[in-house]
Amino acid sequence: MTDAAPPADANTPAPAENGAGAPAGPGFRILAQYVRDLSFENPKAPDSLRIDGKPAIDLGVEMNAQGRKDGLFEVELRLTVKATTDAMTVFNVELLYGGLFALHGVAEQEIEPMLLIECPRYLFPFAREIIARATSDGGFYPPFMLDPIDFAAIYMSRQQQIARGPEAAKV
């Protein structure tokens, strides 16, 4: 696999092409990025802005992808962050961040890993910034910064769970 090429602009050189004018090697282009849904809750403000110590963080990560009739793919990254103390919910952020991708030169067996590992890896820094900005705008300083996420490990764990069958999912 190859890393994603950034969106083309005047400062970005065009990717290497083969003789037919198509980019060389497998990869993808991102055609659009968007916030589908964003929710920020600070239910105990202003008291939540003055807590002692660090709150417990519960992080949820989901990746979903689907093909479209036009041959493009929609990839969604759902991030949920809930910060709590023994006494209160400090904040709760839910973000559904998406991208529209065009794949090229990707073998059929590599499409799913490309969509659920590489594409979310590209979307993550933008989603991370949105969450940081939401917590900052909510009055938290420093803003909450998500640690990097290993999308390959999440994908592999999901594949192992599927291989074990529906009974393993209930555990």
Side-chain angles (χ1 to χ4, degrees):
M1 274 187 263
T2 181
D3 287 334
D9 65 22
N11 299 322
T12 304
E17 296 185 358
N18 63 19
F28 62 83
R29 272 187 57 214
I30 185 156
L31 305 174
Q33 292 177 231
Y34 48 89
V35 173
R36 184 174 303 264
D37 189 27
L38 173 62
S39 172
F40 175 82
E41 298 172 14
N42 187 358
K44 299 292 184 178
D47 295 335
S48 60
L49 303 176
R50 303 186 67 155
I51 64 168
D52 291 327
K54 291 188 176 191
I57 302 294
D58 182 22
L59 173 65
V61 180
E62 294 179 37
M63 298 94 57
N64 293 300
Q66 66 181 14
R68 296 168 32 114
K69 291 180 183 178
D70 57 8
L72 301 175
F73 293 89
E74 289 182 59
V75 177
E76 292 182 336
L77 178 58
R78 180 183 300 272
L79 300 170
T80 58
V81 182
K82 187 172 186 176
T84 59
T85 65
D86 291 337
M88 72 177 88
T89 295
V90 178
F91 66 81
N92 190 15
V93 183
E94 297 178 18
L95 173 64
L96 183 56
Y97 192 74
L100 184 62
F101 293 84
L103 303 185
H104 57 81
V106 178
E108 188 171 336
Q109 69 273 16
E110 293 298 318
I111 291 175
E112 183 178 90
M114 177 76 76
L115 294 173
L116 296 177
I117 299 171
E118 298 304 324
C119 294
R121 189 178 288 160
Y122 181 84
L123 295 173
F124 177 75
F126 300 95
R128 179 182 193 235
E129 174 62 26
I130 292 167
I131 289 173
R133 196 170 328 126
T135 58
S136 176
D137 290 348
F140 295 96
Y141 183 81
F144 180 76
M145 298 297 289
L146 280 168
D147 288 335
I149 295 173
D150 186 347
F151 293 103
I154 293 171
Y155 176 78
M156 295 305 291
S157 174
R158 184 179 188 187
Q159 292 305 105
Q160 290 169 352
Q161 188 177 31
I162 290 169
R164 287 191 301 263
E167 290 301 314
K170 294 179 183 176
V171 176

